[in-house]
Amino acid sequence: MPRDFRHNPLSTRTPQIRLVKLQGRNPLTGRISCRIYHFGFSRKPAYHALSYHWGTAPISNPIELNGRIFHVGANLLSFLTHALLNGINEETYLWIDQLCIDQSKNAFLERNDQVSRMDKIYSEAYQVHVWLGDGDPVVQQFMNRVSTGQYSRERVTRDVGIEGMLAELNAFHTLSYWQRAWVVQEMFLAKRLVFTYGTTTVSLGRILHALKELFTWGTSYPGVHPTMIERLKDDVSEYLQDLSGLTIASFLMRQQCKEVHDRVYAFQGLLPKKARVQVSYEITPTQLFNRVMDRIVRDGNGKSWTTDIHTFACYLDVQPSDFSITLRRLNQETRALAPKAIVARDECYRRWAPRLNPACRKEDSVAMRIGRLTQDAWDLLRHGQTKPSPPSVLTWDDLVEDIEREMGIWRPPVGMRLED
């Protein structure tokens, strides 16, 4: 039996990238076989990049890399299987993160380096393949309809009725792929996008035409979809000029990710290079929070951090005591807030962050944790609210104002007129 595959390290002197080629199936084992190559980043050949959802199942499906065993997730195995059957030939170089980045625990330096280049990896790919998955006949029917141009509202309602049309749209929009944090950058930066579900591949243009034709007012779906990516291009040029802009587009940080760090790292490719923080998976989320806030203070000349601090802290699972330390440190450096305003902001986070994000509850007593679990169940039953559900920066401002009013220290902003 062949030994398990181990990545050879990438060069630390010059930027490098790994790419793979599909080689069919091993006739003896039946396993999918790939070969992996190293290239200098500036001398890499044309390649296609894969955008997909890792899934939650164990990474336990064997393939062969350079003749040795390597385990991948079930969704990636499905993509490789369909790729062999549907047109990705053996001469095509592919970039697939699960194969091309050493994911072992001791390879964090390589991972830091490759993740920091993720924007270039996707923007310089000849084409980005979005693998949406397979196995749902309703989604497959929708994709087949889109691929053949049979997606006019009249045609769809005639074929399957209004309920059938809504079922297809719902099945497509609730695919787990759309809720991944990294898909925003991967789709946004691509030169060319194609979407594949099962046996059907369609272009971005066809997807957009279909969704615009079939759009139903009053319907909202979780995650970021192709039509939102198109609208995001305006937001990027207007708001995402520094890390502070992520609090304005805070819906991005609601996207799902396995690691807390990716609530920042997954979107840095949308920002100018000078506005990014260094990618470091070996640091704690609280350390990342401090790096983010220090960068915001530097880029905003000490003015914007007071409105951003609650949002980043809650998204990065910062405990109330750590929040308090950073709040006071930043204010000591900038003198932006009066002492009572510091107390109000501290109390606001201590009161609301554990309620909105269960990861911020490590300092709660046992009784308080039980009470919060009861509140979670009520919020889910009554309001359909799943957690974590950190609010927007504007909502945090309102919560701070409520506490300042309780303390009797609230003052209207300059120029604001109060009603008689």
Side-chain angles (χ1 to χ4, degrees), residues 37-49:
Y37 303 84
H38 289 207
F39 295 97
F41 205 89
S42 61
R43 297 184 178 182
K44 58 189 178 295
Y47 64 96
H48 295 209

Side-chain angles (χ1 to χ4, degrees), residues 21 149 326 413:
K21 283 184 176 180
T326 301

